[in-house]
Amino acid sequence: MGELNHIAIIMDGNGRWAKNRNLPRTYGHAEGAKKVSDVLQWAKKYGIKYLTLYAFSTENWKRPDEEVSALMKLLKKFLTEKTIELIENDICLKIAGRVDELSCELQALIQDSIKKTADNKSGTLVIALNYGGRAELTDAVKKIAEKVQDKKLNIQSITEETLSQNLYNPEIPDPELLIRTGGELRISNFLLWEIAYTEFYITDTLWPDFDEATFRDAINSFGKRERRKGGLL
Ligand code: IPE
Ligand code: IPE
Ligand code: MG
């Protein structure tokens, strides 16, 4: 099996999980948020060094105000309560997304958690928050254009590597495996650049029901793939 260092997850299906129980969608989000600690433990157990979790997309602002504020409240709760857990487990927190568009309170909590976990080395948790693949590429293009304008970069020397180096977290390797729960066969604007050769594993399991067996299945399925990457094996 090829190396598996980085798993990215589209944590989908919270709303349907709640609907199946005649509960408001926000209950599904609360239940889903509880899964994150479990996934961090499983990642550690299976030797996964990087975990990227899609928590809120640039399109999710289109949801009703109550749902958006419930999600923001859960994110605040997560950062307040879980930073200590990240420190205890030696996990470094990173955010991918347009952080400057979030509330000042949330931005302060994010900065605090990032600072407190910055030196942790055993694993990295990336939360994709107000994240869009197109937004990330647009932001990268702006950074590159500024460097050209400031004469720090020649247009001729722009390579694929230049683009990679101007993404939100350039030091993080591309994910080898992408898991999507909730069964939808689409990418929903997640990691467009980084998934060029990522293997996909889609499960109908709704995010609040995601368990270790499903996580292990995804890893086992990855182990059986032939990763040709355009070449021959
Ligand atoms: C994913 O669950 C969580 C977020 C998008 C924040 P959904 O809320 O999309 O759940 P479904 O897809 O409606 O079931
Ligand atoms: C993707 O799920 C975003 C997150 C999981 C945060 P969505 O539920 O927003 O995606 P669509 O609407 O099904 O494409
Ligand atoms: Mg959804």
Side-chain angles (χ1 to χ4, degrees):
M1 153 168 154
E3 268 205 50
L4 181 53
N5 289 312
H6 184 178
I7 297 183
I9 307 182
I10 302 179
M11 309 183 288
D12 197 21
N14 293 347
R16 279 164 283 169
W17 182 92
K19 192 166 176 253
N20 291 343
R21 287 162 180 76
N22 290 314
L23 294 168
R25 293 177 56 82
T26 49
Y27 279 65
H29 295 313
E31 199 60 29
K34 290 190 202 158
K35 274 284 148 188
V36 175
S37 297
D38 293 339
V39 180
L40 281 168
Q41 293 307 321
W42 304 331
K44 187 176 175 182
K45 182 169 167 186
Y46 295 97
I48 309 304
K49 291 189 195 72
Y50 302 90
L51 197 64
T52 297
L53 303 180
Y54 203 5
F56 192 89
S57 77
T58 47
E59 286 71 38
N60 288 147
W61 297 108
K62 288 190 270 187
R63 295 191 180 194
D65 289 348
E66 316 87 77
E67 185 169 344
V68 171
S69 33
L71 284 164
M72 292 302 151
K73 228 171 130 183
L74 280 168
L75 285 159
K76 279 181 215 162
K77 187 168 140 73
F78 179 87
L79 290 163
T80 312
E81 293 174 4
K82 300 290 173 183
T83 302
I84 186 83
E85 196 177 305
L86 296 176
I87 296 168
E88 280 167 8
N89 287 287
D90 198 33
I91 294 167
C92 168
L93 177 78
K94 305 218 181 247
I95 302 288
R98 288 184 170 162
V99 175
D100 57 340
E101 291 173 359
L102 301 170
S103 74
C104 294
E105 196 191 352
L106 195 48
Q107 286 190 48
L109 286 170
I110 288 170
Q111 290 320 325
D112 184 60
S113 294
I114 289 179
K115 216 171 125 193
K116 286 182 178 153
T117 63
D119 295 329
N120 294 350
K121 297 276 187 290
S122 296
T124 301
L125 169 67
V126 184
I127 300 186
L129 176 52
N130 193 21
Y131 176 87
R134 287 184 172 181
E136 179 172 37
L137 288 170
T138 306
D139 292 349
V141 169
K142 279 187 190 160
K143 287 185 219 165
I144 295 168
E146 261 172 34
K147 288 173 194 167
V148 171
Q149 195 175 40
D150 296 346
K151 305 220 179 324
K152 287 177 184 144
L153 184 67
N154 288 322
I155 291 180
Q156 285 70 25
S157 61
I158 296 175
T159 60
E160 291 184 5
E161 190 52 27
T162 316
L163 228 126
S164 295
Q165 286 307 316
N166 284 279
L167 297 175
Y168 293 133
N169 292 297
E171 67 288 1
I172 295 188
D174 291 342
E176 294 93 358
L177 175 65
L178 173 89
I179 299 173
R180 181 167 189 147
T181 62
E184 307 291 357
L185 304 176
R186 56 176 169 259
I187 200 67
S188 301
N189 202 13
F190 194 36
L191 305 178
L192 299 180
W193 177 271
E194 298 88 334
I195 55 162
Y197 271 103
T198 299
E199 300 290 333
F200 287 11
Y201 181 89
I202 294 166
T203 169
D204 287 334
T205 304
L206 303 173
W207 177 250
D209 293 327
F210 191 66
D211 58 9
E212 189 179 340
T214 317
F215 188 72
R216 202 184 326 110
D217 276 353
I219 293 175
N220 288 341
S221 159
F222 174 85
K224 296 191 188 105
R225 311 278 177 96
E226 275 191 7
R227 306 195 72 209
R228 287 186 288 277
K229 299 186 175 177
L232 299 173
L233 286 177

